[in-house]
């Protein structure tokens, strides 16, 4: 394992190693590290080090707070970053106000980190719509995203900026309502709040700085994009196998979700039935398998796909 601190590794003129910022520890960390490992990037497990060199590819991973990632991209300190769209947009609005560069390019959306930014009020409150927030104190980590939405509706409010424990603000008498990230809603409920309006939906994105990458870095970036796409396509796809009556092939194909060009294989000594193999690019539900069975399919197997290269 090859690790070091930023002090002795930093080399902003490095033209060959792709530097990627990821969240050090939080809700995006596990999925991001899994995506990188599945793409064949080998890097140190330890989260104690700010910078980890990949052992097998010219890639350096910088582990930081998610809030710092858009700035690192926009200040051209790193080449790539993985961050939630919520943090990206909020930071852009803040930096615009501060007169800083807000340039970046989106490399690709990622299939994790889904959450929503919602307004919540004490459960016992009546709710008639966002206009109820006029003149109210709202605790949030995302004042710019909130202001953008409320301004569009002509609603003014008093932001109470909190970077954590936003959900306790109403009970603590700090605010009348909150605007916070929600996944299941359980945290809100346990704090006596109800979710009343979603103002923004977010997922993780891979972003790049707004400058041409050096050719060596571009080559590794292109390779990784291919691999990431392959992994994401594979995670949503399944390999389906079954034996089926030849006479029902059309009906079977019509109910298989996102299935293209199945392979039809003769079954030795059976002219009525064939084996059918197909890659389905969508989730396969039990209901579909039950329908296949009712059409006479047997030995139905649904197998996960690890990697995919089109
Ligand atoms: P850091 O210490 O890096 O600043 P944090 O506490 O700000 O971490 P996390 O709670 O780890 O951030 O969330 C990171 C990102 O994960 C969020 O900005 C959001 O894009 C995404 N996310 C996905 N699901 C959720 C969720 N249920 N609650 C909060 N954020 C979520
Ligand atoms: Zn954060």
């Amino acid at each position: 394992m090859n690790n070091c601190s930023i002090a002795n590794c930093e080399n902003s003129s490095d033209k060959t190693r792709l530097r990627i910022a990821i969240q050090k520890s939080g809700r995006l960390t596990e999925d991001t590290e899994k995506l990188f490992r599945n793409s064949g990037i080998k890097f140190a497990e330890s989260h104690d080090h700010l910078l980890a060199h990949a052992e097998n590819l010219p890639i350096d991973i910088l582990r930081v707070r998610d809030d710092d990632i858009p700035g690192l991209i926009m200040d051209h300190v790193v080449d790539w970053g993985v961050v939630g769209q919520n943090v990206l947009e909020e930071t852009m609005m803040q930096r615009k106000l501060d007169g800083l560069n807000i340039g970046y390019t989106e490399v690709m959306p990622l299939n994790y980190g889904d959450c929503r930014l919602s307004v919540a009020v004490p459960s016992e409150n009546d709710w008639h719509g966002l206009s109820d927030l006029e003149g109210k104190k709202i605790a949030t980590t995302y004042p710019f995203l909130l202001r953008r939405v409320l301004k569009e509706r002509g609603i003014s409010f008093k932001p109470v900026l909190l970077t954590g424990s936003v959900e306790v603000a109403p009970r603590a008498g700090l605010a009348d309502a909150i605007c916070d990230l929600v996944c299941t809603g359980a945290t809100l409920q346990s704090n006596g709040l109800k979710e009343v309006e979603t103002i923004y939906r977010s997922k993780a994105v891979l972003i790049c700085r707004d400058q041409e990458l050096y050719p060596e870095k571009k080559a590794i970036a292109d390779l990784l994009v291919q691999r990431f796409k392959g992994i994401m396509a594979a995670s949503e796809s399944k390999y389906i196998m079954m034996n089926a009556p030849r006479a029902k092939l059309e009906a079977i194909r019509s109910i298989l979700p996102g299935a293209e060009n199945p392979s039809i294989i003769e079954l030795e000594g059976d002219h009525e039935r064939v084996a059918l193999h197909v890659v389905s690019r969508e989730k396969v539900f039990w209901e579909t398998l039950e329908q296949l069975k009712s059409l006479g399919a047997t030995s139905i197997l649904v197998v996960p796909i690890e990697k995919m290269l089109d």
Side-chain angles (χ1 to χ4, degrees), residues 23 65-68 87 141-142 163:
Q23 191 184 21
R65 286 196 60 194
D66 67 339
D67 314 63
D68 296 334
V87 170
T141 313
Y142 302 96
T163 53

Side-chain angles (χ1 to χ4, degrees), residues 23 26-28 65-67 84 86-87 113-115 142 181 183:
Q23 191 184 21
R27 287 186 162 97
L28 299 178
R65 286 196 60 194
D66 67 339
D67 314 63
N86 53 318
V87 170
D114 293 53
C115 57
Y142 302 96
L181 291 175
C183 190

Side-chain angles (χ1 to χ4, degrees), residues 77-225:
V77 178
V78 298
D79 303 305
W80 269 11
V82 173
V83 69
Q85 288 164 326
N86 53 318
V87 170
L88 179 60
E89 287 223 26
E90 182 72 18
T91 311
M92 273 174 63
M93 287 188 266
Q94 171 76 62
R95 285 178 66 98
K96 200 170 173 187
L97 199 70
D98 296 342
L100 299 170
N101 178 38
I102 53 165
Y104 76 95
T105 49
E106 182 172 316
V107 182
M108 59 195 288
L110 301 169
N111 60 354
Y112 56 86
D114 293 53
C115 57
R116 56 189 191 272
L117 187 60
S118 288
V119 172
V121 297
S123 307
E124 64 278 10
N125 285 19
D126 286 341
W127 179 255
H128 311 96
L130 285 175
S131 55
D132 286 3
L133 298 175
E134 178 63 44
K136 293 283 189 323
K137 278 194 276 185
I138 310 174
T140 186
T141 313
Y142 302 96
F144 285 91
L145 281 171
L146 178 61
R147 183 174 300 131
R148 187 171 73 185
V149 172
L150 294 190
K151 204 175 159 194
E152 271 168 21
R153 318 268 179 110
I155 299 162
S156 53
F157 69 104
K158 295 180 193 124
V160 176
L161 188 61
L162 292 177
T163 53
S165 306
V166 176
E167 64 285 348
V168 303
R171 234 179 339 136
L174 298 175
D176 305 299
I178 68 162
C179 176
D180 201 11
L181 291 175
V182 184
C183 190
T184 61
T187 313
L188 294 181
Q189 218 175 3
S190 62
N191 282 284
L193 299 170
K194 62 178 177 190
E195 184 180 357
V196 287
E197 203 106 17
T198 295
I199 64 154
Y200 186 81
R201 288 188 189 276
S202 177
K203 60 158 86 174
V205 276
L206 175 62
I207 55 172
C208 181
R209 60 182 170 144
D210 61 350
Q211 287 172 321
E212 190 83 357
L213 294 177
Y214 286 111
E216 290 95 327
K217 290 193 186 193
K218 174 90 172 61
I220 182 75
D222 289 348
L223 177 93
L224 284 185
V225 166

Side-chain angles (χ1 to χ4, degrees), residues 58-72:
I59 295 169
D60 293 332
I61 311 272
L62 188 66
R63 291 187 168 105
V64 292
R65 286 196 60 194
D66 67 339
D67 314 63
D68 296 334
I69 294 173
L72 290 170

Side-chain angles (χ1 to χ4, degrees), residues 239-291:
Y239 194 80
I240 308 174
M241 295 176 269
M242 73 196 79
N243 292 344
R246 199 184 285 274
K248 293 285 167 59
L249 279 181
E250 269 317 300
I252 285 175
R253 282 184 68 170
S254 71
I255 60 166
L256 281 172
E260 296 146 27
N261 304 327
S263 305
I264 309 290
I265 305 154
E266 296 292 329
L267 287 174
E268 185 73 17
D270 188 341
H271 297 294
E272 304 295 310
R273 298 173 68 77
V274 289
L276 183 147
H277 289 199
V278 72
V279 172
S280 167
R281 294 186 186 255
E282 292 169 27
K283 217 171 151 76
V284 181
F285 294 100
W286 276 110
E287 287 74 8
T288 308
L289 302 190
E290 285 149 9
Q291 278 176 291

